[in-house]
Amino acid sequence: MLEIKNLQVKLEEEDKQILKGVDLTVEAGKVHAIMGPNGSGKSTLSYVLSGKDGYTVTDGSATLDGVDLLEMEPEDRAAAGLFLAFQYPVEIPGVGNMTFLRTAVNAQRKARGQEEMSSTEFLKVVREKAASLKIDAEMLKRPVNVGFSGGEKKRNEILQMAMLEPKMCILDETDSGLDVDAMRLVADGVNALRDEGRGFLVITHYQRLLDHIKPDVVHIMSNGRIVKTGGPELALEVEQNGYADLVEEA
Ligand SMILES: Nc1ncnc2c1ncn2[C@@H]1O[C@H](COP(=O)(O)OP(=O)(O)O)[C@@H](O)[C@H]1O
Ligand SMILES: [Mg+2]
C-alpha cells in the first residue's frame, strides 16, 4: 500500500540532510509503528509524505497503491486516501469545526467522483463519531482547535480521521500529552478503523500507546534512517532499555 524507497530529504532553506535513505513498506490491513529518539526525523517523514513545504526530496520515492505521492499537491494526496494526524494540531480561527469537517469530507468525495454527503447524513455521522471520542456538541461548533486542550486537539484529529476514512493513516505522536483515559479514547478510535483495506503508520516516542494499539511491525528510526525492524517485542525492548543500545548497535 504505502511504499517508501531510499527516501532522502533535506531542508529547502539550509543544506541539512534530515532523512538519509528511509525504506518502509506498509501493507494494507497492517499497523506499523515507528519509534525513535527526538530529532530522528519521524515528523519530517510524515510531513514529506503529506506534502508540507520546506523540504527537498533529493533521492528515493514514495507511492500509495503505486501512485507517486511526492509529485502530488497535498489535497490530491488526501483525496488519494492519505491522512496525517499532526503532532501539533493547528488552530484555525474563524473556521467552525463542523464546517471544516464537512468541507473536507465533501471535497474528497468530489475529487473521487462521489456524491456529496447530505447535511442530515453528515450530522448524524459526525455526532455519532464525536460521541464515541467524547467530543461534545459545543466543541463541534467552536473554531477548529481554538481554545481546545491538548487532549481535545488530539481527539479532534482522530475525529477528522474517522470522518474521512482514509486508506493510509499516519499518526504523529498522537499519544503525547494525553492522560490515560484520553489515550484509550484515541486508541479505541484507531482500533475501530482497523480494516483489511487500511494501513496505519503510528509514530510514537513511548511504548504505552502500543499497549492499546497492537502493532504488527515496529521500526526504530534514528538519525534519518530506520535502523531496526521487528515485532511488538521491539517496543518492549525500548521501554526497558531505552534507545541508546539499539542506536549504537546500528
Ligand atoms: N524546518 C526545520 N528547520 C531546522 N531544522 C529542522 C526543521 N525540520 C526538522 N529539522 C531538524 O530535523 C531533525 C528531525 O526532526 P523531526 O522530524 O521533527 O524529528 P522527530 O519527529 O523524530 O523528533 C531535527 O534535528 C530537527 O531539528
Ligand atoms: Mg516529531
Side-chain angles (χ1 to χ4, degrees):
M1 162 162 277
L2 177 67
E3 200 161 11
I4 304 168
K5 284 188 187 148
N6 187 35
L7 189 61
Q8 304 198 24
V9 171
K10 67 183 193 55
L11 293 176
E12 215 166 70
E13 296 286 303
E14 49 180 301
D15 195 24
K16 186 177 172 190
Q17 195 76 26
I18 315 275
L19 299 184
K20 303 173 181 174
V22 174
D23 288 291
L24 176 69
T25 302
V26 180
E27 309 82 2
K30 301 286 183 200
V31 175
H32 285 235
I34 296 190
M35 305 182 72
N38 285 319
S40 53
K42 305 183 299 296
S43 291
T44 302
L45 176 64
S46 69
Y47 290 152
V48 170
L49 291 175
S50 47
K52 189 177 179 213
D53 288 336
Y55 303 95
T56 307
V57 175
T58 54
D59 207 351
S61 63
T63 57
L64 183 63
D65 287 339
V67 180
D68 182 6
L69 283 173
L70 303 177
E71 291 299 316
M72 296 163 86
E73 294 300 320
E75 60 272 26
D76 296 329
R77 302 183 197 203
L82 186 76
F83 176 84
L84 169 63
F86 286 116
Q87 179 171 6
Y88 304 108
V90 186
E91 297 187 1
I92 316 179
V95 179
N97 207 13
M98 196 86 108
T99 311
F100 176 79
L101 286 167
R102 191 160 167 225
T103 309
V105 166
N106 282 333
Q108 293 202 356
R109 289 194 161 215
K110 201 167 165 199
R112 294 175 192 147
Q114 298 163 338
E115 227 176 283
E116 294 197 351
M117 228 186 203
S118 73
S119 339
T120 337
E121 192 192 352
F122 175 80
L123 266 180
K124 182 174 163 274
V125 177
V126 80
R127 281 190 183 136
E128 202 177 277
K129 297 196 192 249
S132 69
L133 286 159
K134 296 213 162 45
I135 292 173
D136 61 31
E138 188 55 32
M139 263 170 76
L140 286 176
K141 280 188 218 142
R142 270 153 55 186
V144 181
N145 290 328
V146 176
F148 287 21
S149 73
E152 287 170 345
K153 285 181 182 173
K154 297 294 178 100
R155 276 185 277 141
N156 205 36
E157 295 287 288
I158 302 300
L159 177 61
Q160 290 170 19
M161 182 170 85
M163 289 305 297
L164 292 169
E165 301 186 322
K167 235 188 321 197
M168 181 65 223
C169 308
I170 306 174
L171 288 87
D172 190 4
E173 300 213 16
T174 302
D175 51 334
S176 63
L178 294 187
D179 60 35
V180 179
D181 293 331
M183 197 172 61
R184 183 152 292 152
L185 286 174
V186 162
D188 289 348
V190 171
N191 289 329
L193 279 177
R194 285 178 87 148
D195 181 275
E196 60 187 26
R198 186 171 287 131
F200 288 89
L201 193 54
V202 178
I203 299 172
T204 178
H205 186 71
Y206 297 106
Q207 192 270 337
R208 52 173 206 166
L209 180 67
L210 305 180
D211 285 336
H212 305 286
I213 303 172
K214 296 259 183 285
D216 298 292
V217 184
V218 175
H219 308 274
I220 308 294
M221 191 161 183
S222 167
N223 193 20
R225 278 191 194 94
I226 287 174
V227 296
K228 191 159 185 173
T229 295
E233 75 285 349
L234 196 51
L236 296 170
E237 195 181 325
V238 167
E239 170 102 322
Q240 298 217 313
N241 306 328
Y243 290 110
D245 289 354
L246 287 169
V247 169
E248 201 169 316
E249 198 181 299

